[in-house]
Amino acid sequence: MPQQKDSPRRSDAQRNRERILEVALDELSHCADAPLSVIAKKAGVGQGTFYRNFPNREALVLEIYRHEMQHVAETATRLIETRSPDEALRAWMDRLAEFAMTKAGLADAIRQATSAPGSPAKPPHTPVTAAAELLLRANEEAGTIRPGVTADDFLLAIAGLWQLEPDLDWRPRAARLLDLVMDGLRAGTAGR
């Protein structure tokens, strides 16, 4: 019987946590210095609830980063199930560009949270690296990209995305950059 009593509280706590993350993502994407009190208020939770979930700004920012990286990574799996390998890879690259440009404020918040002495390290890109590896291996098996491209090579090749200005019309430039990367990945395949 005590479990039934605790279950609603746990689900309420989970909803509160998810709501905080949702609001924080929006707020920090627009302003890296968004006050935590504003995030708590917009999330509809009290300060105590907020700090039980996220004891400080760094914990909040890093959890958002982990959550968003996982979401970007999961997109790769969905795309590979519904599209040809090369179409899935190119669509996923667009998703990365969208993430990079629409979450520019979040990138600033991550830099702030991880740059101070004694602050936690930025989490690795492990889910994104694994997703890139999944897409690259599917393309290699299909013969749509050159063999031997590693996820690290790929992520380094698209790193130019993070140099684009999110406040400008970044989409055409990102598309050209990503098309160039795809052309390079395809060079030397049977289809070329």
Side-chain angles (χ1 to χ4, degrees):
M1 197 59 116
Q3 276 187 321
Q4 288 178 337
K5 201 174 196 181
D6 290 341
S7 293
R9 229 179 306 158
R10 279 195 293 260
S11 64
D12 284 349
Q14 184 60 33
R15 278 193 300 274
N16 284 341
R17 182 177 175 80
E18 290 169 6
R19 182 72 183 134
I20 292 167
L21 287 171
E22 177 185 317
V23 170
L25 174 61
D26 184 55
E27 291 296 312
L28 293 171
S29 292
H30 290 84
C31 175
D33 297 322
L36 299 182
S37 58
V38 169
I39 293 169
K41 184 175 182 177
K42 287 186 175 184
V45 300
Q47 295 290 336
T49 298
F50 183 91
Y51 285 107
R52 257 191 314 281
N53 282 281
F54 304 102
N56 54 43
R57 176 178 290 278
E58 292 80 12
L60 174 64
V61 168
L62 293 177
E63 182 58 25
I64 291 169
Y65 178 77
R66 278 189 284 276
H67 183 266
E68 287 300 296
M69 289 294 97
Q70 186 62 43
H71 183 69
V72 169
E74 289 168 357
T75 302
T77 305
R78 288 192 301 275
L79 289 168
I80 202 73
E81 291 171 351
T82 59
R83 299 180 185 199
S84 66
D86 58 333
E87 289 173 352
L89 177 59
R90 185 60 179 83
W92 190 67
M93 291 164 72
D94 287 337
R95 173 66 179 101
L96 282 175
E98 184 78 26
F99 173 78
M101 294 301 100
T102 60
K103 309 299 191 246
L106 179 59
D108 291 339
I110 292 165
R111 273 190 291 281
Q112 289 174 10
T114 59
S115 64
S119 63
K122 180 176 160 184
H125 294 301
T126 306
V128 171
T129 303
E133 195 65 40
L134 170 76
L135 290 162
L136 291 169
R137 295 303 63 86
N139 275 277
E140 191 173 314
E141 288 173 21
T144 53
I145 66 167
R146 64 176 54 202
V149 177
T150 68
D152 288 339
D153 294 339
F154 171 78
L155 293 172
L156 187 57
I158 65 166
L161 287 173
W162 283 267
Q163 302 304 313
L164 300 177
E165 290 292 326
D167 297 330
L168 302 177
D169 186 15
W170 58 268
R171 290 180 197 282
R173 193 155 189 208
R176 284 191 308 275
L177 173 69
L178 297 177
D179 287 343
L180 181 64
V181 170
M182 281 300 294
D183 288 346
L185 290 169
R186 289 181 180 126
T189 63
R192 282 261 151 168

